[in-house]
Amino acid sequence: MTTASQQTHQSSSGSLQPKGWLKYFSFSLDHKVIGLQYLVCGFIFYLIGGSLASAIRIELSSPMSDFMARDTYNQVLTLHGTIMIFLWIVPVVNGAFGNYLIPFYVGARDMAFPRLNAVAFWLIPPAGLMLITSYFITGAAESGWTAYPPLSITTPAAGQIIWILSVLLLGGSSIFGGINFIATILKLRRPGLKLMQLPMYCWAMLGTSILVVLSTPVLAGTLILLSFDIVAHTGFFNPTLGGNVIVYQHLFWFYSHPAVYIMVLPAFGLVSEILPVHCRKPLFGYSTMVYSIMAIVFLGLIVWAHHMFTSGTPPWMRLFFTIATSFIAVPTGIKFFNWVATLWGGRISLNSAVLFSCGFIANFVLGGITGVALAQVPFDIHVHDTYFVVAHFHYIVYGGSVFVIFSSIYHWYPKFTGRMLNEDLGRLHFLLTFLGFNLCFAPQHWLGLNGMPRRVAEYDPQFTFINQLSSIGALIMALSTLPFLWNVIQSAFKGAIAGDNPWEALTPEWLTTSPPPVENWTGMAPLVKEPYGYGIKEESIQIQSPDISDPENNKQ
Amino acid sequence: MTTLSPINSSSEEKSEEQVVNEQEHGDHRLFGLAAFLVADGMTFAGFFAAYLTFKAVNPLLPDAIYELELPLPTLNTVLLLVSSATFHRAGQALRKDEAKLCQRWLLFTAGLGLAFLASQMVEYFTLPFGLTDNLYASTFYALTGFHGLHVTLGAIMILIVWWQARQPGGRITSENPFPLEAAELYWHFVDGIWVILFIILYLL
Ligand SMILES: [Cu+2]
C-alpha cells in the first residue's frame, strides 16, 4: 500500500515544513494546520472585537458620552463590526472548520488547491493588523461596517481607505477559500462516495461557497468605486457630483445579505454534524436539509433590498423583497424542525457541545422570528436603525454562529489535540454565555421598539436602566471567556487523553487517530456511506477498508 | 502500511485504490480558474448594474450628454474577437504537437491584444471628457479601465506562455498544456466581457 505517489505527496507537503508547534506559524499546506491557524487567529480577533464591544457597553451604561469621545466611539463601533464579521465569524465557520473537516468528509488527503489555501489564510493576519493599527496611526474608519456614502466619503479619508484595503484583502481570502471548497467537494470526492451521502456540513459549505463566489466580488467592485470617490473625487456615490448613494446600498447589500448566510449556513452544517453524534440518532430529514440549504442560497441572493425599506425604495420593490424575504422562513423553519426532530427521543448526552448547540437553536428561533418581523415593511419602518435591529442580528450572528463555533470547539477539540476539554468548565462557560448573551441583547428589543437609535454614543436618559441591564449582560459575556480560555489552554497539556473516537461518531474524521496524521489516514480513506447511521444495525453500516493493519486504528 | 489488509487484497479493491490516487492527483486547476472567472464576472456584473442604474435614474445635464464615436470601439471588438480565434488556433496547434505553429499563433494573439490596448489609448486621448467630469464619464472610465486592466494582464500572460513555449524541452507541451489552456480560457472570458461592455456602453 505504500505507493510511490503517496510518498511524493507526503514529501511535497511535508519535507520543508517546520515540525511541532512551529508549523502553525509557517506557510503550511496541510489543511488541518491551516484550519487551526484560521481558528486561533480568528479567536484572537474575537478577543479584540470583544474588548471593543465591552468598551461600547461601558460607554452606553450612561446617557452621555463620558467614557470616550464621540468620534472614538464611531471608530470603535466600526472596528467592532468589521472585526467580528470579517476576521472572526466568516474565517472561523468557513476557513477553520471547513479546512479541517471538508477533506475528511470527502475522503481526500488535502484540499484541491493547498497552496491557494495557505495564501487565503495568510491574507488575513496582515489585513487584520492593518485594520487595527489604523486606529493608532491615522484613526480608524468611522462610518460603520456598512461604509455608507456620503458618510464614508466625508469622514477622514485615510482610515476609510485602509478599511477598504483590508476588506478587499479579506474578501479575496474568502473568494479563494470558496473556490477551494467548491473544487474539493465536487472534484475530490473519494470514488464511490455520492453527493447525497456527504455529511451535511459539506452541503452547507458548498452552498456557502457558491454565495461567496457570486456575491463577494460585487462588494469588492463597489468598494473600488467607493475608493475612487474618496481618492480621485469621482462622483459615483456622491450626490453633490451627480452620483447616487442608493446604488451603493444595492451593491453593498447584494453582498452583505448573503454574508449573513456565509456566516450562518456553515453553522447550520456544523450543528447538523454535532447533534446526531450526541443524541445517537440519524440526522432527521437529510434530503430536506440539502434542499433547504440550496433554497436558502437561491433566496439569499434575491432579498437584499429588505435592508433598504427606508431608502426611498419604490412600493413594488418593497413588496417583492418583503415576500421573498418572508419565504426564507420556510427552508429555515424546515431546518429548525429537523434539528428538533433529531433531538426528539434521542439518548441525549447534555455535554457542553450539545448545550451550545441547543442554545443556538433557542437563540436562532428568536432571531429568526424578529427577522421575519423586520421583513414586513410597516414594522421595519418603525424600528429601522434602532436597537431592535442590533438585537435581531446579534441573535443571528452571536446567538447563532458564535454559539455554534463554541459547540464545535467542544465537539472537535479531542480530534484537534487528542485531549478532552473539562466538562465542568464547559458547562460553566455555557451558562455564563447563555445568560450573559440574553441579558445583553433581549432588552435591546425593547430599547429599539421605544425608539433608541443605534450607532450613537449618547441617548435619551429614559433608556438608562435598560442599557445598564444590557451592559451587565455584556460583562457576564466577557467573563464567560475566562473559563473557556483556561479550559482550552490547560486541557491541551493536562486534559484526559481522548482516544481516536471519544464520541463514537461515524463521520470520517473520527475514523483516524487524534490528532490525525499528515495524510489524514495511514491507509486508504474510509468510504462512509452513512455518516449518520446511529442506532442502525452494525452490519448495515458500510465503512469499507479502514486500515486494519494499524492496531491503533482498530477500535471502531 | 506495507502489509496489505485482507479487504484490500482483492484485485477489485486494488484498482479502486488506483482510482482514488488518480482522483487525488487529478488536475482541477482549470475548474478552479473557471470558478474564479465566475467571481470575476460578478465584479463586472456589479459594474454593469451600477452603470445601467445610473443611466436610468440619474439623468445627466444636457451639456454632459455625448455621443460616442463608434469606429474605434468597433475596430476594438473585431481585434478581440479575432484574437480569441487565433488563440484557439494556438491551442489546436499545441494539441497536434506543432510547436512552431503554436508559437506563431500565440505571438499573433498577443499582438492583437496589444493593438487593442493601443487603440483604447487613442480613444481615451480623443474623448472630450475626463475621469471626474461627470457621473457618466467616471463610469465609462471605470468600466473600460477595469476591462483594459484585464486585457493588459491577459497580454502579459500570453507573452509569458509564448516565452515558455519557445524554451527547448519547455514547460508547455501537448502533455502539459495547462498554462496555455488557462490563459486561453481567461482570454475568451475577457473577450466575452468586452462584447457585453460594447453593447451596454456604446450601443444602448
Ligand atoms: Cu438581509
Side-chain angles (χ1 to χ4, degrees):
Chain A
M1 253 168 74
T2 316
T3 58
S5 64
Q6 252 176 353
Q7 281 175 335
T8 50
H9 193 88
Q10 202 148 25
S11 62
S12 70
S13 65
S15 66
L16 288 172
Q17 307 287 338
K19 298 278 179 295
W21 59 272
L22 258 179
K23 70 182 176 218
Y24 293 103
F25 294 89
S26 74
F27 193 78
S28 174
L29 303 183
D30 183 346
H31 71 99
K32 300 179 287 298
V33 174
I34 295 176
L36 293 180
Q37 284 174 328
Y38 268 109
L39 185 59
V40 174
C41 178
F43 193 79
I44 292 168
F45 284 119
Y46 171 67
L47 293 179
I48 297 170
S51 313
L52 295 171
S54 307
I56 291 172
R57 282 320 314 175
I58 292 170
E59 170 61 66
L60 292 176
S61 2
S62 68
M64 300 310 292
S65 65
D66 32 26
F67 181 64
M68 49 185 148
R70 288 169 186 170
D71 66 328
T72 312
Y73 181 87
N74 293 344
Q75 294 179 31
V76 166
L77 187 88
T78 305
L79 283 179
H80 164 73
T82 313
I83 289 173
M84 289 307 204
I85 292 167
F86 291 111
L87 290 160
W88 158 240
I89 298 180
V90 170
V92 168
V93 292
N94 292 278
F97 294 107
N99 272 305
Y100 202 97
L101 298 173
I102 294 292
F104 280 110
Y105 285 174
V106 301
R109 298 195 190 278
D110 210 314
M111 297 284 285
F113 312 114
R115 218 162 254 113
L116 184 70
N117 204 13
V119 170
F121 168 73
W122 282 107
L123 285 174
I124 290 178
L129 279 180
M130 202 161 83
L131 184 73
I132 291 162
T133 45
S134 75
Y135 175 84
F136 301 101
I137 296 167
T138 63
E142 293 179 30
S143 54
W145 86 281
T146 51
Y148 268 16
L151 192 59
S152 50
I153 330 181
T154 45
T155 45
Q160 195 64 52
I161 285 293
I162 294 174
W163 181 88
I164 290 176
L165 280 177
S166 47
V167 172
L168 284 178
L169 285 179
L170 296 168
S173 158
S174 184
I175 292 171
F176 291 154
I179 292 170
N180 223 334
F181 287 124
I182 294 177
T184 308
I185 295 167
L186 293 183
K187 295 286 183 184
L188 243 53
R189 270 193 332 283
R190 185 194 190 288
L193 187 60
K194 297 196 182 67
L195 274 175
M196 289 305 267
Q197 293 165 340
L198 287 174
M200 193 51 61
Y201 184 57
C202 293
W203 282 102
M205 282 307 297
L206 185 63
T208 308
S209 302
I210 292 171
L211 285 178
V212 165
V213 166
L214 291 181
S215 64
T216 315
V218 177
L219 176 75
T222 313
L223 292 183
I224 290 171
L225 294 185
L226 184 66
S227 63
F228 267 100
D229 277 4
I230 295 170
V231 176
H233 302 291
T234 52
F236 297 110
F237 309 125
N238 189 344
T240 57
L241 298 174
N244 192 328
V245 291
I246 303 298
V247 172
Y248 176 90
Q249 296 186 11
H250 276 295
L251 293 171
F252 176 83
W253 288 110
F254 183 80
Y255 164 75
S256 295
H257 180 77
V260 176
Y261 294 104
I262 294 169
M263 289 186 271
V264 97
L265 271 182
F268 288 177
L270 292 167
V271 167
S272 307
E273 300 306 331
I274 295 165
L275 287 180
V277 176
H278 296 283
C279 56
R280 313 311 295 168
K281 272 183 67 194
L283 182 66
F284 187 89
Y286 178 94
S287 54
T288 56
M289 287 293 227
V290 172
Y291 299 135
S292 304
I293 287 172
M294 290 307 154
I296 290 174
V297 168
F298 172 71
L299 289 171
L301 284 168
I302 54 163
V303 296
W304 72 88
H306 61 217
H307 296 270
M308 302 165 54
F309 286 151
T310 60
S311 304
T313 313
W316 65 268
M317 219 188 245
R318 287 174 164 184
L319 187 67
F320 172 81
F321 283 103
T322 287
I323 293 172
T325 306
S326 306
F327 262 116
I328 294 191
V330 176
T332 316
I334 290 173
K335 298 189 79 70
F336 164 74
F337 285 115
N338 280 345
W339 291 319
V340 174
T342 305
L343 286 166
W344 195 274
R347 280 192 291 127
I348 305 169
S349 31
L350 265 187
N351 53 33
S352 316
V354 173
L355 285 173
F356 269 103
S357 278
C358 292
F360 152 80
I361 294 176
N363 295 332
F364 193 78
V365 167
L366 192 55
I369 290 170
T370 54
V372 175
L374 282 168
Q376 314 309 315
V377 176
F379 184 78
D380 180 76
I381 289 172
H382 180 66
V383 294
H384 182 84
D385 234 346
T386 69
Y387 264 83
F388 191 88
V389 178
V390 176
H392 158 70
F393 72 70
H394 279 93
Y395 266 86
I396 299 292
V397 292
Y398 195 103
S401 302
V402 179
F403 268 65
V404 173
I405 292 173
F406 284 130
S407 176
S408 306
I409 292 174
Y410 284 103
H411 182 71
W412 278 289
Y413 187 88
K415 184 46 67 182
F416 296 158
T417 61
R419 290 178 187 271
M420 303 297 286
L421 283 169
N422 182 314
E423 266 304 313
D424 293 331
L425 284 172
R427 293 199 177 109
L428 176 67
H429 175 215
F430 170 76
L431 201 69
L432 290 175
T433 313
F434 192 76
L435 288 178
F437 168 76
N438 280 291
L439 184 59
C440 181
F441 291 106
Q444 294 183 3
H445 291 108
W446 185 88
L447 287 175
L449 286 170
N450 286 281
M452 178 174 161
R454 62 192 272 213
R455 291 190 160 161
V456 186
E458 293 161 13
Y459 55 85
D460 192 316
Q462 61 159 316
F463 298 127
T464 311
F465 174 68
I466 304 292
N467 266 301
Q468 284 168 346
L469 216 56
S470 178
S471 294
I472 293 170
L475 177 70
I476 299 174
M477 282 167 86
L479 288 178
S480 78
T481 317
L482 297 177
F484 175 74
L485 267 178
W486 173 248
N487 200 355
V488 289
I489 291 170
Q490 71 105 36
S491 297
F493 302 102
K494 298 210 172 101
I497 300 294
D500 293 346
N501 191 355
W503 313 123
E504 293 173 352
L506 295 175
T507 40
E509 80 274 29
W510 297 103
L511 307 180
T512 182
T513 53
S514 306
V518 176
E519 296 275 289
N520 291 355
W521 293 277
T522 38
M524 225 169 84
L527 180 59
V528 180
K529 291 192 166 182
E530 288 204 51
Y532 307 114
Y534 303 103
I536 298 172
K537 273 191 199 135
E538 286 291 315
E539 57 266 32
S540 68
I541 302 170
Q542 297 185 336
I543 303 167
Q544 287 176 14
S545 68
D547 193 42
I548 300 176
S549 64
D550 186 351
E552 276 299 297
N553 237 0
N554 235 347
K555 288 172 197 158
Q556 61 266 347
Chain B
M1 285 279 281
T2 41
T3 51
L4 288 170
S5 58
I7 297 176
N8 285 347
S9 58
S10 70
S11 61
E12 196 189 338
E13 284 291 328
K14 253 192 164 172
S15 71
E16 192 191 356
E17 193 188 337
Q18 280 160 3
V19 177
V20 171
N21 275 324
E22 270 166 36
Q23 178 96 359
E24 263 168 36
H25 299 279
D27 194 342
H28 307 297
R29 288 177 294 180
L30 270 185
F31 179 86
L33 177 65
F36 177 77
L37 291 180
V38 170
D40 203 12
M42 286 308 291
T43 318
F44 278 105
F47 285 158
F48 291 150
Y51 170 78
L52 292 173
T53 318
F54 285 146
K55 205 171 143 124
V57 300
N58 284 49
L60 290 164
L61 299 171
D63 63 315
I65 295 174
Y66 177 76
E67 272 296 312
L68 287 167
E69 303 274 356
L70 276 180
L72 212 51
T74 312
L75 172 73
N76 282 348
T77 312
V78 174
L79 284 176
L80 280 191
L81 287 179
V82 173
S83 75
S84 250
T86 56
F87 210 148
H88 187 66
R89 297 300 287 270
Q92 281 180 329
L94 185 73
R95 275 182 282 280
K96 286 189 213 141
D97 270 323
E98 299 174 41
K100 272 276 166 288
L101 192 65
C102 168
Q103 289 161 26
R104 217 170 300 143
W105 281 121
L106 277 175
L107 203 57
F108 195 46
T109 312
L112 286 168
L114 293 174
F116 170 89
L117 287 173
S119 158
Q120 181 87 305
M121 277 297 137
V122 172
E123 193 195 9
Y124 276 7
F125 282 113
T126 50
L127 283 173
F129 50 79
L131 175 67
T132 55
D133 279 10
N134 55 56
L135 184 58
Y136 171 77
S138 305
T139 326
F140 175 87
Y141 282 112
L143 268 171
T144 53
F146 193 56
H147 178 266
L149 192 68
H150 279 73
V151 177
T152 313
L153 286 177
I156 294 172
M157 266 186 337
I158 297 170
L159 286 173
I160 292 173
V161 170
W162 170 73
W163 183 255
Q164 286 187 336
R166 265 164 54 97
Q167 304 303 310
R171 301 181 51 185
I172 295 167
T173 57
S174 53
E175 280 91 57
N176 181 29
F178 172 73
L180 186 136
E181 282 176 349
E184 186 181 346
L185 183 63
Y186 174 82
W187 193 252
H188 292 323
F189 165 79
V190 172
D191 294 353
I193 293 288
W194 173 262
V195 173
I196 301 171
L197 192 151
F198 179 69
I199 293 169
I200 290 180
L201 215 53
Y202 292 92
L203 301 184
L204 284 188

